[in-house]
Amino acid sequence: MSHRIIIALGSNHHQAAHILWASERMRTLLNDCRLSRTLWTSDIKGTGKWYMNRLVCGTTDLSEEALQQLLKEIECATGRTKERVTIDLDLMQYDSQRHHEKDWQRPYIQNIIHDIL
């Protein structure tokens, strides 16, 4: 069974390279993969770090749990730490189930969501 998903990508360390790498991973992971444009945002915690962000939409046959586990493995593969977010992959939606409700209201999400819908 195919599931429609949306994933948010973010990086604050070698941003363009990590977003490109993760985007390529998403293209191999998802069917009917659509990528938003990239957008720069300042850290919501006020640290002064800059993030590059993108949204990805597609379909997968993976269960939600298996997909979440795979996203965490991809994050770890890039050497992500708490301070150095090489890549952050957040499952925003799985079929009709939304996650990270606060993030849906963020201006950058609102700005690029229409790129992939």
Side-chain angles (χ1 to χ4, degrees):
M1 181 175 179
S2 191
H3 305 280
R4 184 175 176 277
I5 63 165
I6 297 174
I7 300 170
L9 286 63
S11 175
N12 74 5
H13 182 75
H14 298 297
Q15 297 93 324
H18 285 116
I19 291 292
L20 179 61
W21 180 85
S23 296
E24 291 304 316
R25 285 286 295 178
M26 295 300 107
R27 281 191 176 112
T28 62
L29 177 67
L30 303 176
N31 300 312
D32 306 315
C33 184
R34 291 187 306 279
L35 304 170
S36 75
R37 65 190 182 276
T38 57
L39 196 62
W40 287 98
T41 59
S42 60
D43 182 8
I44 60 172
K45 297 176 185 169
T47 65
K49 293 181 182 176
W50 283 90
Y51 281 77
M52 181 179 277
N53 299 277
R54 166 174 269 168
L55 292 175
V56 179
C57 179
T59 60
T60 183
D61 292 335
L62 292 173
S63 70
E64 185 173 350
E65 295 77 21
L67 180 60
Q68 290 277 29
Q69 180 62 38
L70 184 56
L71 295 178
K72 292 304 167 202
E73 289 171 10
I74 293 170
E75 288 177 348
C76 289
T78 64
R80 179 188 168 153
T81 66
K82 200 172 201 176
E83 296 78 31
R84 186 179 69 193
V85 181
T86 49
I87 198 68
D88 183 35
L89 303 171
D90 290 334
L91 181 60
M92 299 290 290
Q93 186 168 328
Y94 187 90
D95 289 331
S96 62
Q97 180 65 43
R98 281 189 168 189
H99 302 280
H100 304 280
E101 276 303 320
K102 284 184 179 180
D103 290 348
W104 282 97
Q105 305 310 313
R106 298 197 192 287
Y108 77 91
I109 297 287
Q110 295 292 313
N111 196 340
I112 59 178
I113 190 69
H114 302 289
D115 292 356
I116 60 169
L117 296 180

